Amino acid sequence: MTASLADCAALYNAGRFAEARDAAEQVLAGDPQNFKARSLWAGATAELGQVEEAVDAIKSAVDAGADHPLVRNMAGRVYLAAGDAAEAVEHLQRAAEVSPDDASVRLALAAALIQLDRFRDALQEYEWVAANAGPSCVLERSTLHWHLGAFAAAADILSSHLAVQPDDAPALNQLALVRKSQGDYAAGLDLFSRAVEADPSFEAAALNLAVTLQQSGRPEDGLAALDHGRTNLPAAKYELLRALMLPVILESEDEILRWRTHFAEGLDRTAHCGAHLRDPLKEVALHHFHLAYQDLDDRDLQRKAAETYLAVCPSLKFAATQLAPPPTNRPIRVAFVSTNLRNHTIGWLNAGFIEHLDRSKFDVTLVSPDFPDDEVYGRIAAAADRVITISRDLTRARALIADAQFDVIYYPDIGMDALTYYLAFARLAPVQAVGWGHPVTTGIPNIDYFVSCDLMEPDKAPEHYTEELVCLPDVGGCYERPNDPDGVFDRAAHGLSEGVPLLTCPQSCFKFHPQFDPLLRDILDRVPDAHLALLTSVPASNSALLRTRLETTLGDAASRVHFIGPLSHGNYLRLVRDADVVLDIPHWSGGRSGYEALAMGAAVVHLPGEFMRGRHTLAFYKTIGVEDCVAADENAYVGLAVRLLTDEAFRVDMRKKIAAHAGPLFNRMQPVHALEDFFAEAVERAAAKP
């Protein structure tokens, strides 16, 4: 019996694509001009992976029946399969206009919109389907709310669903991701564990559980979770994740060496496992951020890590088909690429560059996820000549950047986020450079330059980098001076005693190197009524781990250590301004925090470290011509802190001196002009290469 058009459609909708195509061919044999059958044939052929044939067929179907909803629907699906989401959206939007009650069209349209990172538009389609057509689209709606930063809305959708279906593993996994984004890692761990229990074969939940254990400072438990789920993990993913299980809070120097050995050996096992990854961002979702805080020369390990990624994931070697031609009679096109150009240290450190680069010479593009409710992102986006919005899709992000044909790609930070770390492996522009937002070499072959600054770098600095080192003058940045907030820091509101000497070291917990503990103990022992205020971390478990370590290393003095926060930015500035002494960590100096402490006239005690990452405050002090609080060694560091705590006249003098001289540290244009010169010279050098 000859198949009918209805048979074709029924087979297609049932997912029986080979049979649907056969049925369509039978219809076309009797009616070669039947554009409906041709469109169904094209749709089924695309589903079977023969995309080029499907595109050719759908073009002729559209020519014959352009406004028929079936044709537009199939055209959208074919072009989506072909990777042309923009063309797919055009057809599916027309199909939705002609047939507004067809849920399948709206679902396909939502999928195409997501490919274009049009998350809000996609969410509208899913919300319509959920309200009008039956399917609740729980995962789709909650995931889009999550991507858009609407964490409470995402949590409400998932919680309502789980109240009815408490063992839905994908929903448990998604709610865990939302809770992590809300800062509740403990809830995330519980939900990931429930997802694994509900479906032991659910790879994503097992992976997320291990990653979250590592991020919570529990790498041994993360390793155990990986071993438990090993049967569900491909070899390359398993070995790489094992290597990346690194501690957040370090217990001792011996532990540092043990974990570095673990990391290096894990990279070797990964490189030689004989398996590959297609997309490390999707498959691993972790990188070695915490390695840099161990205060050792990371150049060789960073290079080894990059070589390992290239060995197991050849797609990272992506190169744009055509790089930008040398600029002639046009501005140099520069892209600032980061996920942190928002209310984040990276955003604050780089806003001045984006705002002040000479627009007669440079065309500046911000390449970033969208942060619609973030004021700093809004400021930076408004200053850029254009914005390219990317999502956590490595393939699409690379394509968007390559298509723009930039002359220079400048990553303000590489190593703080997995997306930009993996992006940096690709050759997307003739010149690719990284700034000092994460002040450690990348080891990545396609990063040509590391842009640092001369006052921060130690002797023999080029030996620390796989990139060519470029040093901008003085502090290497153009930072806007923050306003001094009204009011005083309310100690009592944060559990701190009034009328006692107060130290603060307002850094993330993972920056506290074990070698710093003896200095803290010496200061607190020599000033027995002094108290030390530290900031709580996200996740809170890392604060607890640091507290436990300090209880061992500080002895009785640990009772005078207080973890406070989270603080608003205004309260943070009040803390550093109103504390008697601000301590800088020799192993990882404050960047944004150093700028802001000196803006508040705070006396920051600084001991320059061995590497650039421990010398930021030295550069700040040299720039303003005040080096009284720069210590020559550990004894001098402790002595300075003690004197500032106990000698009020000296402390008042230092604060007045710093406040009087701090102005030139801010809004510096010399580094901006030097960055302009570097970009121009680097583009000229790249053009001269054969």
Side-chain angles (χ1 to χ4, degrees):
M1 184 175 66
T2 302
S4 67
L5 189 67
D7 295 330
C8 251
L11 289 166
Y12 180 91
N13 291 331
R16 295 161 62 181
F17 301 118
E19 295 171 74
R21 185 167 69 172
D22 289 344
E25 288 173 351
Q26 292 179 40
V27 174
L28 289 167
D31 182 4
Q33 304 306 313
N34 191 318
F35 60 82
K36 298 177 187 177
R38 188 163 301 282
S39 67
L40 282 164
W41 185 93
T45 299
E47 295 288 353
L48 292 169
Q50 297 166 289
V51 176
E52 291 184 11
E53 292 178 51
V55 170
D56 290 339
I58 203 65
K59 286 179 179 177
S60 65
V62 169
D63 289 342
D67 279 331
H68 194 283
L70 174 63
V71 175
R72 290 288 190 178
N73 188 1
M74 288 298 107
R77 294 168 187 269
V78 168
Y79 282 110
L80 192 57
D84 190 345
E87 185 75 12
V89 165
E90 183 178 331
H91 288 288
L92 290 164
Q93 285 179 328
R94 182 60 185 150
E97 291 169 5
V98 176
S99 184
D101 296 328
D102 189 335
S104 69
V105 171
R106 290 185 177 266
L107 290 172
L109 176 57
L113 289 165
I114 289 171
Q115 289 294 312
L116 295 176
D117 297 334
R118 292 172 57 181
F119 297 141
R120 293 183 187 280
D121 293 335
L123 180 59
Q124 287 182 355
E125 300 302 326
Y126 284 127
E127 295 286 12
W128 184 93
V129 171
N132 298 283
S136 59
C137 305
V138 168
L139 288 177
E140 294 88 348
R141 291 160 57 218
S142 61
T143 299
L144 286 169
H145 277 299
W146 177 55
H147 278 304
L148 291 166
F151 304 138
D156 287 346
I157 292 169
L158 291 161
S159 297
S160 297
H161 172 74
L162 288 166
V164 179
Q165 298 185 44
D167 295 327
D168 184 336
L172 288 165
N173 180 70
Q174 186 58 38
L175 182 56
L177 292 171
V178 172
R179 294 303 187 208
K180 279 182 66 177
S181 296
Q182 293 177 310
D184 192 345
Y185 277 58
L189 285 171
D190 177 64
L191 288 159
F192 286 135
S193 297
R194 285 173 57 192
V196 171
E197 183 178 350
D199 182 359
S201 67
F202 189 19
E203 180 185 317
L207 185 154
N208 287 332
L209 175 60
V211 168
T212 307
L213 285 165
Q214 183 275 330
Q215 293 169 334
S216 301
R218 297 166 57 185
E220 298 283 8
D221 291 337
L223 288 168
L226 283 175
D227 291 342
H228 181 72
R230 181 173 186 174
T231 56
N232 299 315
L233 294 174
K237 184 184 298 188
Y238 169 76
E239 294 294 356
L240 185 54
L241 279 167
R242 278 192 62 84
L244 293 171
M245 289 291 120
L246 296 171
V248 178
I249 305 299
L250 301 163
E251 290 299 318
S252 67
E253 292 177 69
D254 287 344
E255 185 188 44
I256 290 172
L257 296 177
R258 178 171 73 86
W259 282 105
R260 287 175 81 84
T261 300
H262 160 87
F263 181 60
E265 291 177 349
L267 292 177
D268 287 336
R269 285 193 298 272
T270 303
H272 296 101
C273 72
H276 289 91
L277 299 170
R278 289 187 299 274
D279 184 339
L281 185 63
K282 292 179 180 177
E283 295 177 75
V284 179
L286 187 66
H287 62 301
H288 50 285
F289 168 73
H290 292 103
L291 184 76
Y293 296 90
Q294 297 172 359
D295 197 43
L296 292 169
D297 187 349
D298 289 330
R299 186 192 63 182
D300 292 343
L301 267 182
Q302 291 282 13
R303 180 187 284 123
K304 185 183 185 76
E307 291 170 348
T308 300
Y309 277 109
L310 289 169
V312 299
C313 190
S315 66
L316 288 175
K317 299 174 186 176
F318 176 91
T321 304
Q322 183 175 358
L323 296 179
T328 303
N329 299 321
R330 65 166 174 82
I332 293 171
R333 295 191 290 261
V334 179
F336 282 74
V337 182
S338 176
T339 60
N340 295 316
L341 289 166
R342 51 188 171 88
N343 187 14
H344 182 284
T345 293
I346 302 305
W348 287 99
L349 289 177
N350 288 276
F353 284 143
I354 294 169
E355 289 171 335
H356 296 298
L357 282 176
D358 185 345
R359 291 312 198 269
S360 69
K361 300 176 182 178
F362 299 93
D363 182 278
V364 179
T365 297
L366 167 64
V367 180
S368 164
D370 185 22
F371 300 102
D373 300 321
D374 188 289
E375 291 185 9
V376 179
Y377 170 82
R379 167 189 164 188
I380 293 172
D385 297 300
R386 60 191 46 80
V387 175
I388 293 177
T389 300
I390 57 173
S391 65
R392 301 193 73 78
D393 183 321
L394 182 59
T395 300
R396 176 152 179 77
R398 282 191 303 225
L400 287 170
I401 296 169
D403 287 348
Q405 290 203 320
F406 295 110
D407 301 298
V408 178
I409 292 176
Y410 183 74
Y411 294 93
D413 61 292
I414 292 175
M416 301 183 78
D417 182 87
L419 173 59
T420 47
Y421 178 75
Y422 297 133
L423 267 178
F425 281 86
R427 174 57 67 179
L428 303 173
V431 176
Q432 300 187 163
V434 60
W436 60 270
H438 188 57
V440 64
T441 187
T442 67
I444 297 173
N446 272 332
I447 297 300
D448 308 309
Y449 302 97
F450 191 103
V451 181
S452 182
C453 49
D454 55 12
L455 291 184
M456 292 185 190
E457 289 292 353
D459 294 338
K460 300 181 179 179
E463 297 177 4
H464 301 154
Y465 299 94
T466 60
E467 308 85 0
E468 181 177 336
L469 180 63
V470 175
C471 286
L472 304 183
D474 53 69
V475 295
C478 179
Y479 196 94
E480 183 177 73
R481 185 169 190 164
N483 294 322
D484 192 342
D486 295 332
V488 298
F489 183 73
D490 187 345
R491 293 192 184 189
H494 298 281
L496 300 171
S497 300
E498 301 284 356
V500 299
L502 181 63
L503 295 140
T504 188
C505 185
Q507 301 294 338
S508 300
C509 288
F510 51 76
K511 295 182 179 179
F512 283 71
H513 195 278
Q515 290 178 346
F516 189 44
D517 295 7
L519 304 185
L520 294 176
R521 179 166 187 164
D522 203 358
I523 294 166
L524 291 170
D525 284 349
R526 290 174 61 178
V527 188
D529 58 342
H531 288 245
L532 172 62
L534 304 180
L535 302 181
T536 55
S537 68
V538 176
S541 57
N542 290 329
S543 303
L545 288 168
L546 179 58
R547 178 187 292 279
T548 298
R549 189 184 88 193
L550 294 177
E551 287 172 350
T552 299
T553 58
L554 302 191
D556 292 341
S559 64
R560 289 180 280 130
V561 177
H562 310 270
F563 285 83
I564 63 173
L567 302 178
S568 66
H569 187 228
N571 254 348
Y572 171 84
L573 294 177
R574 293 183 188 96
L575 170 65
V576 296
R577 182 196 63 198
D578 297 345
D580 297 300
V581 178
V582 175
L583 297 176
D584 197 35
I585 301 174
H587 314 85
W588 196 286
S589 184
R592 176 188 176 189
S593 61
Y595 271 119
E596 295 189 334
L598 295 179
M600 296 299 106
V604 181
V605 181
H606 174 66
L607 174 61
E610 180 180 357
F611 304 103
M612 180 266 200
R613 53 190 179 264
R615 302 168 67 88
H616 303 161
T617 303
L618 174 66
F620 300 155
Y621 273 136
K622 283 182 174 291
T623 298
I624 67 175
V626 177
E627 298 183 48
D628 306 66
C629 291
V630 177
D633 55 34
E634 291 183 351
N635 288 334
Y637 180 93
V638 172
L640 270 170
V642 170
R643 186 178 178 193
L644 285 164
L645 285 170
T646 58
D647 186 337
E648 183 178 2
F650 176 66
R651 180 173 67 251
V652 170
D653 253 5
M654 282 299 96
R655 293 176 63 92
K656 286 181 178 178
K657 188 174 183 179
I658 290 166
H661 289 80
L665 181 59
F666 301 96
N667 304 308
R668 296 185 67 79
M669 291 304 297
Q670 296 95 321
V672 177
H673 298 321
L675 188 64
E676 293 172 343
D677 292 342
F678 160 66
F679 285 159
E681 291 166 8
V683 168
E684 186 176 339
R685 287 175 63 182
K689 291 180 180 178

